[in-house]
């Protein structure tokens, strides 16, 4: 299992994702679909891909979620490969994955097809091109539910139109620290975008990690949506950099102290829960990017964000753990990782 | 085991209470359990998504729908049989056809969510193609009506042939799938 793809790691922008929601014409949506029809959706989409002109299709594998244990499913949620919602329908759902989990196609989640392409760094256009190619490939053999007026028809009216959600994950410690983040939140929502925490809807921005994505899917072309999202992201990144500059100019011992204390805790604590751990990682990451400390590899910090998550942690430890024991294992793993 | 209250139906709700170390057991049927105060650990009710999107949706619909309430309740999708009422509660369509079945009633909602009601993005080659032919046929049929009304029979004949040709193409296209 590979946890991370190899493309470029960026500082403020963590990942870029493009997701297309698609449904098969003439077939009820997954939540009202029978078992046999659900199976047909899975078989049809997978064989549509295999028999398409998409050259990398042979590297894709199909996994029925019912063949997977819960821990592995949860770990996939933590890696942003599948959504939490699909687990609720796990008996009838499946995913199609490539080796490095850059491409993931959820079948029978809320829609028949949820195609996702994920890249490290600000790579929305590249992700879109890939998603578009795979979308065309599926369509060679499957007729999508589409309406000239409403566009791609989806189960939820918020996705109709392009069916596309473009989202970027950002690490914004300086904007959070200088209390400028609320301004950003307000502005972003005024331009048809939305901003959420690390694990999407309803999750809080633990560890100063935010997801910015388009809210509106109907009435704009995919390119327009992506371009305006990139414009918004660039502005936010600018602001974050400015806030960091100001923090650096002040050269406050308080900041340096915070960074080193955080590193100290990560290196020596004997029990760490996720809620404590993420802000510490964020602080050290900030210190690293601002040149306050040099001894920690930023890649390792990025990896830690996922590795310390409950299910991933238990998978790495090869056993199920009670929350208390998890905290001990987490602390041990972080210590070893930062040695 | 029979219900301890009505002594008629099968007991399928079993309540064990331990108060100050004294254990009491009660076996009731569904019906008596529901009436009984002992079992206010009632049957779990699912509210769907934790987000109140549905509630907001229902609010919008009621604010904007100019249609009398009982009429809205009667609207349903001929393909998947989802009722409009059901859509209002769940916030999810049953199938792609629901969009055209509920068309007039969801337009205000779409405008609310997206600010737009006309898709301008990607068009699938396949269903987009069929769609275009369908729309062309509609257009020609209207022209045909006009031509007949204006007694332009030559034009009408030409239009009729064109429609026939397009309908054949549409059938071929659909058969291929």
């Amino acid at each position: 299992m590979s946890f991370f793809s190899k493309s470029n790691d960026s500082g403020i922008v963590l990942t870029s994702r493009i997701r297309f929601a698609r449904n098969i014409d003439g077939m009820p949506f997954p939540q009202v679909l029978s078992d046999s029809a659900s199976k047909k959706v899975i078989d049809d989409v997978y064989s549509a891909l295999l028999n398409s002109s998409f050259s990398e299709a042979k590297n894709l594998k199909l996994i029925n979620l019912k063949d997977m244990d819960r821990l592995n499913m949860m770990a996939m949620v933590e890696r942003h490969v599948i959504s939490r919602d699909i687990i609720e329908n796990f008996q009838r759902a499946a995913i199609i994955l490539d080796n490095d989990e850059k491409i993931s196609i959820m079948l029978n989640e809320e829609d028949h097809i949820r195609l996702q392409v994920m890249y490290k760094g600000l790579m929305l256009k590249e992700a879109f091109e890939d998603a578009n190619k795979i979308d065309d490939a599926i369509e060679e053999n499957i007729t999508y539910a589409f309406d000239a007026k409403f566009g791609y028809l989806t189960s939820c009216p918020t996705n109709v139109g392009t069916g596309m959600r473009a989202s970027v994950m950002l690490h914004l410690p300086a904007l959070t620290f200088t209390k400028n983040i609320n301004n950003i939140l307000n502005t972003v929502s005024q331009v048809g975008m939305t901003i959420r925490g690390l694990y999407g809807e309803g999750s809080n921005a633990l560890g100063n990690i935010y997801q910015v994505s388009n809210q509106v899917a109907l009435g704009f072309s995919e390119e327009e949506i992506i371009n305006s999202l990139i414009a918004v992201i660039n502005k936010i990144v600018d602001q974050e950099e400015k806030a960091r500059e100001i923090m650096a100019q002040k050269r406050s011992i308080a900041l340096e102290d915070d960074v080193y204390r955080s590193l100290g805790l990560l290196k020596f604590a004997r029990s760490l829960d996720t809620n404590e751990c993420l802000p510490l990682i964020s602080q050290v990451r900030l210190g690293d990017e601002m040149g306050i400390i040099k001894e920690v590899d930023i890649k390792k910090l990025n990896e830690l964000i996922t590795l310390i998550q409950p299910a991933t942690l238990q998978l790495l430890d090869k056993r199920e753990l009670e929350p208390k024991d998890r905290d001990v294992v987490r602390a041990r793993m972080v210590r070893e990782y930062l040695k | 085991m029979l219900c301890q209250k009505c002594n008629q139906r099968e007991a399928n709700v079993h309540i064990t209470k331990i108060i100050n170390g004294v254990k009491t057991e009660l076996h009731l049927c569904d019906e008596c359990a529901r009436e009984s105060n002992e079992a206010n650990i009632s049957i779990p009710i699912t509210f769907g998504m934790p987000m109140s999107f549905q509630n907001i949706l229902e609010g919008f619909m009621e604010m904007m729908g100019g249609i009398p309430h009982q009429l809205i309740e009667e609207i349903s999708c001929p393909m998947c049989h989802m009722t409009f009422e059901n859509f209002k509660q769940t916030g999810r369509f049953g199938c792609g056809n629901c969009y055209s079945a509920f068309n007039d009633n969801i337009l205000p909602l779409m405008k609310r969510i997206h600010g737009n009601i006309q898709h301008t993005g990607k068009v699938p080659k396949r269903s987009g193609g069929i769609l275009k032919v369908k729309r062309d046929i509609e257009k020609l049929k209207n022209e045909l009506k006009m031509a007949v009304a204006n007694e332009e029979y030559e034009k009408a004949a030409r239009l009729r042939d064109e429609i026939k040709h397009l309908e054949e193409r549409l059938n071929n296209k659909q058969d291929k799938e």
Side-chain angles (χ1 to χ4, degrees):
Chain A
M1 183 176 6
S2 93
F3 283 93
F4 308 96
S5 49
K6 284 179 207 74
S7 46
N8 65 321
D9 275 308
S10 130
I12 295 167
V13 179
L14 294 166
T15 58
S16 301
R17 281 190 288 164
I18 293 286
R19 184 267 279 150
F20 287 168
R22 299 285 187 257
N23 286 285
I24 301 171
D25 191 37
M27 195 173 258
F29 295 151
Q31 59 270 47
V32 287
L33 205 57
S34 69
D35 286 358
S36 58
S38 302
K39 193 178 175 303
K40 188 170 156 42
V41 168
I42 295 170
D43 295 343
D44 285 359
V45 175
Y46 190 51
S47 70
L49 258 175
L50 291 184
N51 297 318
S52 72
S53 59
F54 182 53
S55 55
E56 289 152 65
K58 57 182 185 303
N59 297 325
L60 299 173
K61 56 174 187 276
L62 174 76
I63 308 168
N64 283 299
L65 286 196
K66 62 172 189 280
D67 300 334
M68 231 175 149
D69 61 57
R70 212 178 157 76
L71 213 52
N72 267 301
M73 277 194 253
M74 286 309 297
M76 280 199 163
V77 174
E78 291 171 356
R79 299 200 297 276
H80 300 277
V81 174
I82 60 173
S83 69
R84 218 170 270 273
D85 288 343
I86 197 173
I87 295 183
E88 277 163 36
N89 197 26
F90 77 95
Q91 275 164 324
R92 300 185 202 164
I95 43 168
I96 298 174
L97 282 179
D98 70 343
N99 289 330
D100 51 11
E101 298 182 341
K102 187 182 89 177
I103 299 166
S104 89
I105 305 168
M106 289 191 280
L107 302 174
N108 295 329
E109 200 237 30
E110 189 178 278
D111 296 296
H112 295 139
I113 303 169
R114 284 282 180 100
L115 160 63
Q116 172 181 285
V117 177
M118 177 162 53
Y119 270 90
K120 302 235 146 152
L122 188 54
M123 303 278 277
L124 279 176
K125 286 189 173 160
E126 291 77 1
F128 172 70
E129 270 167 35
D130 286 2
N132 213 12
K133 218 193 290 169
I134 302 165
D135 187 44
D136 288 344
I138 297 173
E139 211 221 322
E140 284 171 24
N141 299 305
I142 276 179
T143 308
Y144 284 145
F146 180 86
D147 178 90
K149 189 187 189 73
F150 292 131
Y152 289 94
L153 303 176
T154 53
S155 167
C156 182
T158 55
N159 294 318
V160 79
T162 57
M164 183 181 80
R165 183 130 300 157
S167 70
V168 175
M169 196 142 43
L170 298 161
H171 181 226
L172 305 173
L175 283 174
T176 313
F177 183 75
T178 58
K179 307 228 168 10
N180 280 305
I181 196 73
N182 286 332
N183 268 336
I184 306 261
L185 297 182
N186 288 335
T187 319
V188 162
S189 63
Q190 279 165 17
V191 292
M193 309 281 167
T194 165
I195 190 161
R196 303 176 237 227
L198 176 58
Y199 286 105
E201 227 159 282
S203 72
N204 54 3
L206 208 55
N208 307 317
I209 294 170
Y210 300 84
Q211 281 187 71
V212 184
S213 59
N214 63 303
Q215 179 83 306
V216 170
L218 179 66
F220 295 93
S221 72
E222 289 80 358
E223 286 80 5
E224 285 171 323
I225 292 171
I226 288 169
N227 286 338
S228 49
L229 184 59
I230 291 175
V232 168
I233 298 296
N234 284 336
K235 268 269 173 296
I236 297 177
V237 170
D238 266 5
Q239 297 283 313
E240 171 70 19
E241 278 170 351
K242 268 197 196 114
R244 288 182 186 191
E245 260 168 49
I246 292 167
M247 284 170 80
Q249 277 162 14
K250 286 192 174 166
R251 283 182 164 273
S252 81
I253 189 74
L255 173 66
E256 207 176 315
D257 187 52
D258 270 353
V259 171
Y260 273 105
R261 275 170 187 275
S262 301
L263 182 60
L265 274 172
L266 288 178
K267 274 189 160 171
F268 295 105
R270 258 48 189 174
S271 170
L272 280 171
D273 72 23
T274 322
N275 292 358
E276 185 187 2
C277 207
L278 277 175
L280 295 175
I281 294 173
S282 168
Q283 198 65 258
V284 175
R285 204 175 181 280
L286 176 68
D288 194 312
E289 289 192 338
M290 287 180 68
I292 297 171
I293 46 171
K294 291 190 177 64
E295 58 260 50
V296 186
D297 183 0
I298 196 136
K299 254 190 176 157
K300 283 194 162 180
L301 291 171
N302 288 348
E303 290 172 5
L304 270 183
I305 296 169
T306 308
L307 295 184
I308 60 153
Q309 299 297 331
T312 307
L313 184 81
Q314 293 174 74
L315 271 187
L316 285 175
D317 207 50
K318 297 191 179 71
R319 58 190 169 137
E320 288 199 31
L321 297 160
E322 293 294 314
K324 255 192 170 167
D325 302 329
R326 248 180 256 166
D327 294 346
V328 176
V329 173
R330 180 177 295 112
R332 192 189 67 216
M333 199 191 67
V334 172
R335 277 200 313 272
E336 280 165 11
Y337 219 71
L338 292 181
K339 243 178 210 162
Chain B
M1 187 190 294
L2 283 180
C3 169
Q4 289 177 347
K5 208 168 176 188
C6 63
N7 279 320
Q8 284 170 5
R9 288 174 290 261
E10 182 70 14
N12 43 18
V13 177
H14 310 281
I15 301 158
T16 309
K17 279 205 282 192
I18 303 171
I19 298 168
N20 298 328
V22 184
K23 187 170 156 189
T24 52
E25 283 186 1
L26 195 59
H27 307 280
L28 301 173
C29 65
D30 264 345
E31 219 156 290
C32 293
R34 222 168 295 151
E35 285 166 17
S36 158
N37 291 328
E38 299 288 347
N40 41 20
I41 347 125
S42 56
I43 297 104
I45 302 159
T46 12
F47 287 103
M49 293 209 320
M51 273 270 289
S52 59
F53 174 67
Q54 289 86 342
N55 308 355
I56 299 170
L57 187 95
E58 208 165 340
F60 279 152
M61 300 291 206
E62 255 132 49
M63 289 283 288
M64 289 184 257
I67 303 155
H69 204 70
Q70 78 229 63
L71 271 180
I72 288 187
E73 275 169 17
E74 285 162 18
I75 300 172
S76 70
C77 170
M79 206 187 103
C80 70
H81 308 295
M82 173 168 279
T83 63
F84 188 66
E85 204 50 32
N86 201 320
F87 165 69
K88 266 170 47 176
Q89 281 158 15
T90 60
R92 297 289 186 277
F93 293 105
C95 71
N97 195 57
C98 290
Y99 280 89
S100 48
F102 304 154
N103 186 24
D104 294 341
N105 299 298
I106 56 171
L107 283 178
L109 173 76
M110 292 301 180
K111 203 148 180 132
R112 262 283 137 174
I113 298 174
H114 300 281
N116 298 286
I117 44 168
Q118 180 58 55
H119 176 61
T120 56
K122 186 176 179 180
V123 173
K125 288 183 199 89
R126 186 185 271 271
S127 35
I130 290 177
L131 215 110
K132 196 177 167 300
V133 178
K134 274 185 185 165
R135 268 194 290 181
D136 287 349
I137 293 174
E138 280 308 302
K139 212 176 116 209
L140 289 175
K141 277 185 176 166
N142 280 332
E143 278 177 39
L144 177 64
K145 260 187 213 158
M146 292 283 284
V148 173
N150 295 334
E151 301 186 4
E152 299 167 283
Y153 296 114
E154 245 174 76
K155 190 179 172 187
R158 186 171 49 80
L159 286 168
R160 192 199 55 214
D161 290 346
E162 259 183 68
I163 291 169
K164 207 176 147 196
H165 173 71
L166 282 181
E167 277 175 341
E168 271 166 19
R169 236 177 77 192
L170 188 67
N171 285 338
N172 284 340
K173 252 185 176 227
Q174 279 168 337
D175 284 348
K176 261 191 236 160
E177 280 148 33

